[in-house]
Amino acid sequence: MSQIRQDTADVNAAIDAELQLLDPAVRTSRALAARLLDPEFVEVGASGRRWTYEEMLDALPELGGGSGESDGGGPRFEPSRMGGVVLAPGIVHLTYETDFGGRRARRSSLWRRRDGETDWRMYYHQATPVPASAE
């Protein structure tokens, strides 16, 4: 496989995994979320709070986005403008925006695939709130 095709496949795999983490069924399942988060995972949320792997797995079902409007729950994350780039072998950087019940955020994630593994795991995530006045 050519390097360009491999890079495209890696970015697409990371995007697929990112979208899974936005899925209500994954957000409410510790087992499913644990498969997508790297054991060394760190997040700086839109609130400014720093989250570790264990803290995120404990809190994820309660953080919102875990229930869809169709089942009577709250708002869901609506991603847009998602794209990515391979920074190095086994490292993909994704950027995108979300709308969550009218609150917008710009997001950045680092995904890594360790040597000998086939699955991509989120290593780092940051969300920055977008003020209503910003485009």
Side-chain angles (χ1 to χ4, degrees):
M1 181 181 294
S2 75
Q3 188 58 47
I4 292 172
R5 288 193 359 208
Q6 182 62 54
D7 287 357
T8 300
D10 289 348
V11 168
N12 287 340
I15 288 172
D16 180 59
E18 185 88 37
L19 292 172
Q20 287 179 52
L21 276 174
L22 296 175
D23 184 312
V26 173
R27 295 181 71 77
T28 57
S29 168
R30 182 181 179 97
L32 293 175
R35 289 190 356 225
L36 293 167
L37 296 179
D38 190 276
E40 296 176 13
F41 170 82
V42 173
E43 175 173 331
V44 178
S47 67
R49 179 175 174 180
R50 183 182 184 278
W51 300 86
T52 64
Y53 175 80
E54 284 297 328
E55 290 169 335
M56 183 57 70
L57 289 177
D58 289 344
L60 196 57
E62 307 302 321
L63 286 177
S67 299
E69 296 286 352
S70 63
D71 61 13
R76 292 182 64 165
F77 286 98
E78 299 296 333
S80 63
R81 302 187 210 184
M82 191 174 286
V85 63
V86 173
L87 297 178
I91 304 287
V92 171
H93 179 220
L94 299 181
T95 57
Y96 63 104
E97 294 185 15
T98 56
D99 185 294
F100 180 72
R103 293 181 306 186
R104 291 178 46 221
R106 291 193 176 106
R107 298 180 177 271
S108 177
S109 299
L110 291 176
W111 288 82
R112 84 173 165 182
R113 184 181 59 211
R114 293 183 180 203
D115 288 340
E117 293 185 0
T118 58
D119 293 333
W120 288 91
R121 293 177 178 245
M122 184 184 282
Y123 175 75
Y124 179 81
H125 184 80
Q126 183 162 347
T128 304
V130 178
S133 61
E135 276 194 43

